[in-house]
PDB file of all heavy atoms in Angstrom:
ATOM      1  N   TRP A  59     102.289  67.854 164.743  1.00  0.00           N
ATOM      2  CA  TRP A  59     103.411  68.530 164.075  1.00  0.00           C
ATOM      3  C   TRP A  59     104.705  67.833 164.500  1.00  0.00           C
ATOM      4  O   TRP A  59     104.913  67.576 165.696  1.00  0.00           O
ATOM      5  CB  TRP A  59     103.459  70.006 164.498  1.00  0.00           C
ATOM      6  CG  TRP A  59     104.292  70.890 163.621  1.00  0.00           C
ATOM      7  CD1 TRP A  59     103.875  71.593 162.529  1.00  0.00           C
ATOM      8  CD2 TRP A  59     105.703  71.177 163.760  1.00  0.00           C
ATOM      9  NE1 TRP A  59     104.924  72.291 161.981  1.00  0.00           N
ATOM     10  CE2 TRP A  59     106.059  72.060 162.713  1.00  0.00           C
ATOM     11  CE3 TRP A  59     106.703  70.775 164.651  1.00  0.00           C
ATOM     12  CZ2 TRP A  59     107.351  72.552 162.542  1.00  0.00           C
ATOM     13  CZ3 TRP A  59     108.000  71.253 164.476  1.00  0.00           C
ATOM     14  CH2 TRP A  59     108.311  72.135 163.435  1.00  0.00           C
ATOM     15  N   TYR A  63     114.365  72.019 163.987  1.00  0.00           N
ATOM     16  CA  TYR A  63     114.925  73.365 163.887  1.00  0.00           C
ATOM     17  C   TYR A  63     116.440  73.181 164.013  1.00  0.00           C
ATOM     18  O   TYR A  63     116.901  72.452 164.899  1.00  0.00           O
ATOM     19  CB  TYR A  63     114.435  74.268 165.026  1.00  0.00           C
ATOM     20  CG  TYR A  63     113.013  74.779 164.842  1.00  0.00           C
ATOM     21  CD1 TYR A  63     111.925  74.064 165.308  1.00  0.00           C
ATOM     22  CD2 TYR A  63     112.785  75.999 164.209  1.00  0.00           C
ATOM     23  CE1 TYR A  63     110.625  74.539 165.141  1.00  0.00           C
ATOM     24  CE2 TYR A  63     111.483  76.483 164.042  1.00  0.00           C
ATOM     25  CZ  TYR A  63     110.421  75.753 164.511  1.00  0.00           C
ATOM     26  OH  TYR A  63     109.136  76.227 164.345  1.00  0.00           O
ATOM     27  N   ALA A  80     104.896  76.802 160.363  1.00  0.00           N
ATOM     28  CA  ALA A  80     105.349  77.114 161.723  1.00  0.00           C
ATOM     29  C   ALA A  80     106.271  78.329 161.710  1.00  0.00           C
ATOM     30  O   ALA A  80     106.731  78.757 160.639  1.00  0.00           O
ATOM     31  CB  ALA A  80     106.090  75.906 162.284  1.00  0.00           C
ATOM     32  N   ILE A  84     113.807  80.926 165.965  1.00  0.00           N
ATOM     33  CA  ILE A  84     113.630  80.944 167.420  1.00  0.00           C
ATOM     34  C   ILE A  84     114.980  81.290 168.059  1.00  0.00           C
ATOM     35  O   ILE A  84     116.019  80.711 167.699  1.00  0.00           O
ATOM     36  CB  ILE A  84     113.127  79.565 167.925  1.00  0.00           C
ATOM     37  CG1 ILE A  84     111.739  79.246 167.322  1.00  0.00           C
ATOM     38  CG2 ILE A  84     113.073  79.535 169.444  1.00  0.00           C
ATOM     39  CD1 ILE A  84     111.214  77.847 167.640  1.00  0.00           C
ATOM     40  N   GLY A  89     110.963  80.103 174.072  1.00  0.00           N
ATOM     41  CA  GLY A  89     110.058  78.983 173.792  1.00  0.00           C
ATOM     42  C   GLY A  89     110.625  77.666 174.308  1.00  0.00           C
ATOM     43  O   GLY A  89     111.674  77.634 174.964  1.00  0.00           O
ATOM     44  N   VAL A  90     109.932  76.597 173.995  1.00  0.00           N
ATOM     45  CA  VAL A  90     110.384  75.275 174.450  1.00  0.00           C
ATOM     46  C   VAL A  90     111.640  74.875 173.668  1.00  0.00           C
ATOM     47  O   VAL A  90     112.604  74.350 174.241  1.00  0.00           O
ATOM     48  CB  VAL A  90     109.268  74.222 174.265  1.00  0.00           C
ATOM     49  CG1 VAL A  90     109.663  72.916 174.929  1.00  0.00           C
ATOM     50  CG2 VAL A  90     107.928  74.716 174.826  1.00  0.00           C
ATOM     51  N   CYS A  91     111.634  75.168 172.375  1.00  0.00           N
ATOM     52  CA  CYS A  91     112.783  74.796 171.542  1.00  0.00           C
ATOM     53  C   CYS A  91     114.048  75.537 171.965  1.00  0.00           C
ATOM     54  O   CYS A  91     115.125  74.937 172.114  1.00  0.00           O
ATOM     55  CB  CYS A  91     112.481  75.095 170.073  1.00  0.00           C
ATOM     56  SG  CYS A  91     111.176  74.067 169.385  1.00  0.00           S
ATOM     57  N   HIS A 112     106.133  79.877 176.074  1.00  0.00           N
ATOM     58  CA  HIS A 112     105.833  78.957 174.975  1.00  0.00           C
ATOM     59  C   HIS A 112     105.499  79.736 173.705  1.00  0.00           C
ATOM     60  O   HIS A 112     104.754  80.721 173.745  1.00  0.00           O
ATOM     61  CB  HIS A 112     104.652  78.045 175.355  1.00  0.00           C
ATOM     62  CG  HIS A 112     104.128  77.243 174.215  1.00  0.00           C
ATOM     63  ND1 HIS A 112     102.947  77.549 173.562  1.00  0.00           N
ATOM     64  CD2 HIS A 112     104.625  76.158 173.585  1.00  0.00           C
ATOM     65  CE1 HIS A 112     102.750  76.678 172.595  1.00  0.00           C
ATOM     66  NE2 HIS A 112     103.744  75.817 172.594  1.00  0.00           N
ATOM     67  N   ILE A 113     106.049  79.313 172.575  1.00  0.00           N
ATOM     68  CA  ILE A 113     105.758  79.972 171.299  1.00  0.00           C
ATOM     69  C   ILE A 113     104.658  79.172 170.613  1.00  0.00           C
ATOM     70  O   ILE A 113     104.864  78.014 170.235  1.00  0.00           O
ATOM     71  CB  ILE A 113     107.020  80.033 170.407  1.00  0.00           C
ATOM     72  CG1 ILE A 113     108.136  80.807 171.123  1.00  0.00           C
ATOM     73  CG2 ILE A 113     106.702  80.657 169.053  1.00  0.00           C
ATOM     74  CD1 ILE A 113     109.514  80.611 170.517  1.00  0.00           C
ATOM     75  N   CYS A 115     102.745  78.241 167.697  1.00  0.00           N
ATOM     76  CA  CYS A 115     102.641  78.283 166.231  1.00  0.00           C
ATOM     77  C   CYS A 115     101.220  77.930 165.814  1.00  0.00           C
ATOM     78  O   CYS A 115     100.761  78.323 164.759  1.00  0.00           O
ATOM     79  CB  CYS A 115     103.632  77.321 165.588  1.00  0.00           C
ATOM     80  SG  CYS A 115     105.341  77.801 165.866  1.00  0.00           S
ATOM     81  N   GLU A 122     103.864  69.087 174.153  1.00  0.00           N
ATOM     82  CA  GLU A 122     105.030  69.172 173.262  1.00  0.00           C
ATOM     83  C   GLU A 122     106.225  68.453 173.874  1.00  0.00           C
ATOM     84  O   GLU A 122     106.364  68.401 175.102  1.00  0.00           O
ATOM     85  CB  GLU A 122     105.342  70.672 173.096  1.00  0.00           C
ATOM     86  CG  GLU A 122     106.448  71.004 172.145  1.00  0.00           C
ATOM     87  CD  GLU A 122     106.415  72.499 171.754  1.00  0.00           C
ATOM     88  OE1 GLU A 122     105.474  73.235 172.142  1.00  0.00           O
ATOM     89  OE2 GLU A 122     107.341  72.914 171.050  1.00  0.00           O
ATOM     90  N   ASP A 138     111.302  68.728 167.401  1.00  0.00           N
ATOM     91  CA  ASP A 138     110.145  69.246 168.129  1.00  0.00           C
ATOM     92  C   ASP A 138     108.898  68.466 167.685  1.00  0.00           C
ATOM     93  O   ASP A 138     108.659  68.327 166.482  1.00  0.00           O
ATOM     94  CB  ASP A 138     109.983  70.738 167.792  1.00  0.00           C
ATOM     95  CG  ASP A 138     108.789  71.371 168.480  1.00  0.00           C
ATOM     96  OD1 ASP A 138     108.260  70.782 169.445  1.00  0.00           O
ATOM     97  OD2 ASP A 138     108.388  72.471 168.047  1.00  0.00           O
ATOM     98  N   ASP A 140     104.659  68.139 168.442  1.00  0.00           N
ATOM     99  CA  ASP A 140     103.486  68.722 169.107  1.00  0.00           C
ATOM    100  C   ASP A 140     102.294  67.771 168.984  1.00  0.00           C
ATOM    101  O   ASP A 140     102.118  67.118 167.956  1.00  0.00           O
ATOM    102  CB  ASP A 140     103.068  70.030 168.412  1.00  0.00           C
ATOM    103  CG  ASP A 140     104.055  71.157 168.653  1.00  0.00           C
ATOM    104  OD1 ASP A 140     105.217  70.867 168.958  1.00  0.00           O
ATOM    105  OD2 ASP A 140     103.652  72.315 168.509  1.00  0.00           O
TER     106      ASP A 140
HETATM  107  N1  SME B   1     106.165  75.657 170.422  1.00  0.00           N
HETATM  108  C1  SME B   1     107.536  75.801 170.051  1.00  0.00           C
HETATM  109  C2  SME B   1     107.682  76.542 168.750  1.00  0.00           C
HETATM  110  C3  SME B   1     107.719  75.683 167.556  1.00  0.00           C
HETATM  111  S1  SME B   1     106.225  75.074 167.110  1.00  0.00           S
HETATM  112  O1  SME B   1     105.619  74.313 168.180  1.00  0.00           O
HETATM  113  C4  SME B   1     106.294  74.191 165.715  1.00  0.00           C
HETATM  114  C5  SME B   1     108.291  76.494 171.147  1.00  0.00           C
HETATM  115  O2  SME B   1     107.698  76.993 172.110  1.00  0.00           O
HETATM  116  O3  SME B   1     109.518  76.571 171.046  1.00  0.00           O
END
Side-chain angles (χ1 to χ4, degrees):
W59 196 91
Y63 283 89
I84 297 174
V90 189
C91 293
H112 170 256
I113 301 164
C115 294
E122 184 164 354
D138 179 16
D140 289 23

